[in-house]
Each structure stands twice: as C-alpha cells, then as structure tokens.
Amino acid sequence: MKDPFIIFWAVMLFASIVWYAFLVVYIGIKAGRELRTLIRDLSAQVKAADAARK
Amino acid sequence: MTLTLLDWIIIAVYVFACMAAGLWMRRYLRDVEDFTIAGREVHTNLAIASLAATEFGLVTVMYTAQLGYEKGFAGATIGVIMAAAFLLVGYTGFVIQPLRNAGVLTIPELFEKRFSKRVRWLAGVFVALGGLLNMGIFLRLGGDFFVYATGMPPSWLEPVMTILLGLLVLYTVFGGMLSVLVTDYLQFIVMGLGIVVTSVLVIWKTGWGDIIGTLQAAWAGTGPTKLAADPFNPFHPSSFGWGYIVWQVIFQIAVVTTWQTTITRVLATKDSATAKRMYRRTSFYFVGRFLLPGLWGVAAFVWFSQHGGLPADLNSSTAMPHFLGRLLPVGLLGLVVAAMIAAEMTTISGYMLTWATVIYNDIIMPCLKKPLSKKGQLLLTRVILFGIAIFLLFYGLWYKMPGNAWDYLAVTGNIYLASVFTLLVAGLYWPRANCYGAYAALILGAVGPLTFLVVNACVTKEQQIAPEIAGAASFGLAFLGMILGSLLTTAPAKTAAPAANPA
C-alpha cells in the first residue's frame, strides 16, 4: 500500500462512494422540490393558455 | 436464470413507474422548445440530476468496467481528467457562458449567427453523424449486460433490446425533454442507490486487500492470471501512456464544452450562472462514473483469476455482468438490474432527443422554404426520434467493434468533437475566424476518426491505427484548417460580431 498510485485510487474510490451516497440524498431532495415547482409552473401556464383560448 | 420472482417484481414496478411518469408529462407540452429544452425552466439541482443520469448510462458501466478489467484502477484515469475539465469550465465559463447567453437551441444554430447558414447545416450533419454512430453500440452493450447479469439465454438479446427501446421511445416521443427530466430524476435516485450499494458489496465480499494483492501479483506475473497493463499507473507505457493521456485532456475539454447532450442541459438552465454551478457541482461525479463500475470490472478480474480464469464464452466486457449475477443476493440483483435499465433508458432517451433536435433544427429546418406550424414541428421531431430508434436497432445488431468499447466511443465522438470544438472556440474568441476556416475545420476534423473506423474495420489488429493518433490528429487538423482557411481568405466584415455576448 506504499505505492502513491494505490493510495490515490483508494482515496478517490472511497470518496466517490461517499459522494454518490451524499448526492443521492441531497440532490434527490432538492431536485425533487425543483421538479415539483417546475410542474406547478407548467401547469399554471397550461391553465392560463387554456383560459386565454376560451 | 439468475433472477428470482422478487427481482422481476422490482424491475417491473420500476419500469412501470418510469413509463407512467414519462407519459404523464405529455400534458404540459406546448411547443418544440418545451419538447427539446423544457422551456428553459430547469434549476441547478434538477439539471445536476438530469445531467448525471444521462451521462451515466449502462453503456458507461460496460465500457468503464471493461477498462477496469483490462487496465485495473488506472482505467479510471479518464474520469479524473473529465472531472478536472468540468471543474475548469465550471469556474471559468469557458465556451458554455457565451453559448448559454446566445440563447440558441443547438450548437450549429450558433454557427449560423457567427459564420453562415451553410456552416450550420454542415456542422449539423457532422454532429448528427458522429452522435448517431457513437450511440449505435449502446443497445448492444446494454443487451450484453442484461443477458450476462440475469443469466438469460443469449438468443433473447435482440428481443430484449427491441422491447426496451420500444418502451423508452414511447415516453420520449410523447413527452420530450419534460418526460426525460422526470424519468432522469427517478433514474438518478434508483441508479445512485444501486451503484453505491453494489460498490460497497463488491469491496466487502471481495476484500480490499485481496483486490490490491491480486492486481499486484497479476501485474508482476506471479499470480494465476497475468495482467498486460500496469493496474495503478496510467502513465506507464503498458497502460494508457503519456500520448493517450494528452489526447484525453484535449478530448475531455472538448467533451464538456461541445458534447451536445451535455450542452442541451446547459441550454436548458435558467442562466449561465446556473450552468456554471451545475458544472462545478457535477465535476467529482465523473470520477465515480469511471471508478465505481471500474471497481466492478477490477473485482470481476480478481474473482475470475481466483476461480480458474475467464471462461471461453466470456470476454473483458461481459465478465463484469456475469460476476455481478453471481455476487449479488436476491432482491439486490433486481434493484441493480432496475438501476441499469434506468441507466440505459435515461442515456438512450436523452441522446435520441438530442440528436433528433440537431437533425430537426440544423439539417431539416434550414432547408425548408416555409416554416412549419407548431404542430408540424412537433410531429417532425417525433418522426425523427422514431427514425433514430430504428437506426439504433439495426446498427446495434450488426456492427462489430474493432477494439474496446471506450476507444470506439471516443473516436466516433471525435468525428464532430474536434471540428465543432474548433468552430466554437474560434467563433467565440477569435474575431478573424470566417466561414472558409469553418468549412476546412469541419472537413479536416472528421478525416482522422472516419479513417480510423474504415481502416480498422478492414485491416488486421497489428496494422490498426491507434485511437490516440486518430483522435489527436483530428484536433490538430481541425485547428490547422480553421487557422489557414481564415487567414488565407477575406476577413469577416467588422459588423459580423460574435453571436454570443460573453458577459
């Protein structure tokens, strides 16, 4: 394990696992909220367009 | 068959949820801008989830695992270079900031503003050609994963590929980018979970000490199986070597600033600051994109060398799914296969949408004398999507790759990356660049990769052109073409300012 390349890949690998686990939770929650807002905005725009046509 | 009833239930529930969510988004579609870039309403975190899901396909898992199997951890060097490129562009805004500010739908559209309509059309042809050839092997590699991980008979590969393609075409054709965003989000969650759990399990079951020890012994030639490349040092000539790495540095900067599927996310963001933030925050993700499936490939190598070597019916590409099929317990295998279906669906749907947008926006639209109605535009884009699906099915079935999957992907991507990257950089930052330089760059940039594809399909392995030679030559030729073409002809009029405002 003294090879600097092995140390480098070990650090990268375990950091990647931690980063992916964090991303799934953090981005999962935040992106979920943004998606809800996007759908709400789009829904409002569609309703407004329908109302304008009537 | 490796899968149990529980695994099948998990897969079926997931695929049904994805389809339902994708089709449900159809109601919010108004025009082509909604269909292709979600009306430019996407915020940072959703953009990150979408970019991450699209750029982490099953094809990625397959080629990175193959690199891990053949080159050990050094195979993930490309991911480190890619992450550095994302970070660099995310901080500087190089190319992406003026591109987003230009308010275009695709990169070739910018070329019309900066150079000419014909340059846009020719760039569109190269972008679509490179992109379609590039994604041509996605279905085959994905099908290989399913066959070897689930233990299906190999004769099922074609029907499985067709059904999978049919499902994702259905929701992409109807819902466009809005559907892709929702399914990307679901797939980001499932895929992320599957990748983390599988990676932990692979290390736990194989043992970190065993992985390192077996790789060292295989490289030293003292283990049961010999490894031809240094598994840790990418600069060693037996691994990538310096030439390949230098090519990859240029290639990855071109990828993050030019690759249309990535740029589609840049163009879908609210503003250039969001695009830059998305790049910075996604950057480290790309290390894991290569390293985690690479770990699975490395572990497959370790497992097979401890169990009598690789059987004759497997190769460096199919070893990993076969290994996972044996390693993962009931339920988790179902989750991982669902995650990989997720990866396959997001990538193919995202890519199909991107290339359909280019074909519609840059190849067909400039040739029409009368603009189409909104309904006509949507219908045309959907017909193109369907045509791409048919192409994928047939090309994926008959094409045999000359080397490993990553080299094929890098070189076909290079068909347009080299020339379009040159046009973008020159168009945005060099006022002297003109349309003659652009033509020369487009044509010369495609020569290297096309020669690689044709020559390597016809000659023996010893006579084949090295991918780094073909790739680096295409960048060199494209820049040379741009410089000479522009300097030897009339300078563009001073009023023809760059389309983008780099503010």
Side-chain angles (χ1 to χ4, degrees), chain A residues 35-54:
Chain A
L35 189 59
R36 222 170 42 206
T37 311
L38 174 73
I39 292 170
R40 203 175 49 219
D41 291 350
L42 287 170
S43 184
Q45 285 169 17
V46 169
K47 274 181 194 159
D50 286 346
R53 265 202 300 272
K54 282 172 192 170

Side-chain angles (χ1 to χ4, degrees), chain A residues 1 3 5-6 8-10 12-17 19-21 23-24 26-32 34-35 38-39 41-43 45-46, chain B residues 24 28 30 41 43-46 56 73-74 76-77 178 185 188-189 192 196 203 208 212 216 232-234 281 284-285 287-289 291-292:
Chain A
M1 276 293 278
D3 183 343
F5 282 110
I6 298 181
F8 173 77
W9 290 120
M12 286 287 139
L13 181 65
F14 290 104
S16 290
I17 294 174
W19 182 240
Y20 269 57
L23 273 187
V24 170
Y26 181 80
I27 299 289
I29 293 169
K30 292 237 173 183
E34 287 176 11
L35 189 59
L38 174 73
I39 292 170
D41 291 350
L42 287 170
S43 184
Q45 285 169 17
V46 169
Chain B
W24 181 62
Y28 300 119
R30 291 160 301 174
E41 295 276 354
H43 289 258
T44 311
N45 294 296
L46 188 54
F56 203 129
F73 288 109
T77 305
L178 291 172
Y185 173 71
F188 172 78
I189 305 284
V196 170
I203 296 174
W208 181 248
I212 299 296
Q216 283 175 322
F232 306 108
N233 179 4
R281 292 188 188 171
F284 192 69
Y285 185 86
V287 174
R289 179 183 186 254
L291 194 49
L292 298 179

